[in-house]
Amino acid sequence: MTAPRPNPLAAVYDAANRGTPAEKLAALPPLPRFIDLELTNTCNFRCLMCPTGTHLQQRKSGFMSRAVFERLLDQVRGPRIPLRFIRWGEPTLHQRFLEFLTAAKATGLTCHLNTNGSHLEADLLAALVALPLDAIKFSFQGVDPRSYREMRNTDFFDELLERIRTLHRLRGTGPAPFIQVSTTITYETREQVARFRAQVAPWADQVTVGRTLLSHLEVDRMKCSPAEKQTILWLQGQESVKKTHKKCPEIFDKLSVNWDGTVSACCGDYNNQMVVGDLMREDLAAVWHGPAITHYRTLLAAMRHQELPLCRTCYDYMGLETPGLQGTE
């Protein structure tokens, strides 16, 4: 039996999830352990659970310029801070996404890519293997074509599976990229989840199943058709997230850099409610230790989520509250 491949970011994630919020506040690292980088906040999908797809996102849309990317790269190159190409858009829509990935890898950085997979034809997958990209996460919704289409508003489930199979074949016995498949569910049963796991397991190094968070969505403000709104309302009734505030690892270990260089304390901040700096005007260290993020950390170390609009509706959607979802009983 082949030994499981290690996630290249496992040590970073382990460190980020270690300790209580109060302990983490007292032992804050000198710089973030990793950074989420938003190449764009636009997407080619119209997912019903996403503020980008339903136009709840009100901040200006755009694509990261070379100047912003190079500024960020200058800041993370020395301390070798890993980059995750992720956030509120589909990164492969950026015309320079492969160029930027290549530049980051050339400096020796660990790089991770989150994607819906729709733009990853075989030639582009081969280029990611050649880099090599360290890790890639393919984002699903649901566990079969029906539940995927219900949330994602498109029939791409089988095609996405084929993209993953292709990447696995192209990687062969090579070391990278680490292939992760991630999905979230609402009403799906343990048996359905088990079938999904078995379906993707031959081509994935890791499979994670969480819960789709929907109750916070303001359906009346969404720019959707009446039928889509009815679907969202029905799905909100099926939501199975346990409303438990998590001990937030975000604010003590990570920063989220928007396409325009502004920096948020929170990965869930799609409308710039928790902006703590601007990399085009400040150094990374100044943002990381600035008064705005220090204030947020103090509140969250005391588990005072209710005092922050974003945090009061943020729950542990990846927690193991439902037996069997993460391979546990």
Side-chain angles (χ1 to χ4, degrees):
M1 180 179 294
T2 304
R5 293 171 183 264
N7 187 330
L9 286 168
V12 173
Y13 294 154
D14 288 345
N17 288 305
R18 194 178 303 131
T20 67
E23 290 169 340
K24 292 167 74 66
L25 180 62
L28 193 71
L31 288 170
R33 299 184 194 278
F34 59 109
I35 285 177
D36 282 358
L37 156 64
E38 180 184 80
L39 289 184
T40 181
N41 62 336
T42 63
C43 189
N44 57 323
F45 281 8
R46 294 189 59 252
C47 303
L48 296 184
M49 77 295 172
C50 178
T52 302
T54 55
H55 303 288
L56 280 175
Q57 181 180 219
Q58 297 300 306
R59 64 184 167 105
K60 184 179 178 181
S61 298
F63 293 83
M64 182 171 284
S65 68
R66 186 191 297 273
V68 171
F69 179 76
E70 290 180 348
R71 170 67 174 167
L72 174 60
L73 203 57
D74 286 342
Q75 297 285 302
V76 301
R77 178 185 287 113
R80 297 172 69 89
I81 300 173
L83 295 179
R84 301 199 314 174
F85 290 71
I86 192 173
R87 297 248 329 124
W88 288 105
E90 170 52 42
T92 62
L93 294 181
H94 197 294
Q95 290 185 339
R96 291 195 169 104
F97 106 90
L98 187 58
E99 174 189 330
F100 287 177
L101 264 177
T102 302
K105 285 300 301 174
T107 67
L109 297 180
T110 299
C111 293
H112 166 100
L113 173 68
N114 252 49
T115 180
N116 62 30
S118 59
H119 276 228
L120 294 181
E121 302 284 356
D123 58 342
L124 198 45
L125 290 171
L128 295 179
V129 172
L131 270 178
L133 176 67
D134 296 284
I136 185 169
K137 179 190 285 188
F138 291 95
S139 295
F140 283 77
Q141 293 296 136
V143 293
D144 54 27
R146 178 202 164 193
S147 53
Y148 179 95
R149 181 175 60 251
E150 205 167 51
M151 282 287 188
R152 296 251 159 176
N153 249 332
T154 187
D155 290 305
F156 193 66
F157 184 88
D158 291 331
E159 288 86 347
L160 183 52
L161 288 177
E162 183 57 35
R163 301 283 167 92
I164 298 168
R165 283 193 289 263
T166 299
L167 177 60
H168 184 268
R169 175 179 56 80
L170 290 169
R171 183 187 71 178
T173 59
F178 180 88
I179 301 172
Q180 182 179 355
V181 168
S182 181
T183 193
T184 63
I185 61 173
T186 49
Y187 56 81
E188 291 86 341
T189 66
R190 184 186 302 181
E191 291 71 26
Q192 288 176 300
V193 171
R195 284 196 294 272
F196 175 75
R197 286 182 175 280
Q199 185 174 24
V200 299
W203 313 293
D205 303 305
Q206 182 181 14
V207 182
T208 56
V209 181
R211 295 282 172 170
T212 308
L213 185 61
L214 293 164
S215 59
H216 68 296
L217 297 177
E218 301 173 65
V219 179
D220 290 341
R221 293 181 54 231
M222 292 180 171
K223 296 180 180 178
C224 300
S225 70
E228 289 170 337
K229 289 185 178 182
Q230 286 302 310
T231 298
I232 297 170
L233 289 170
W234 180 82
L235 287 167
Q236 284 182 330
Q238 308 301 311
E239 184 189 89
S240 50
V241 174
K242 185 172 180 178
K243 301 298 193 297
T244 301
H245 289 305
K246 60 183 177 180
K247 297 177 180 179
C248 180
E250 293 277 322
I251 203 159
F252 304 102
D253 297 277
K254 186 181 80 175
L255 287 176
S256 295
V257 179
N258 294 328
W259 66 268
D260 60 358
T262 55
V263 183
S264 177
C266 176
C267 69
D269 185 12
Y270 58 86
N271 266 339
N272 284 354
Q273 292 179 265
M274 293 181 73
V275 168
V276 293
D278 186 338
L279 277 190
M280 300 306 286
R281 300 178 181 178
E282 305 167 82
D283 288 340
L284 183 64
V287 177
W288 181 243
H289 295 283
I293 196 169
T294 299
H295 171 66
Y296 294 143
R297 287 188 187 119
T298 303
L299 291 177
L300 291 175
M303 297 298 286
R304 291 161 61 183
H305 292 69
Q306 294 301 326
E307 298 178 40
L308 296 170
L310 283 179
C311 303
R312 70 171 61 119
T313 58
C314 182
Y315 304 107
D316 185 12
Y317 67 94
M318 291 302 293
L320 310 186
E321 299 294 344
T322 302
L325 284 189
Q326 299 288 355
T328 62
E329 293 298 337

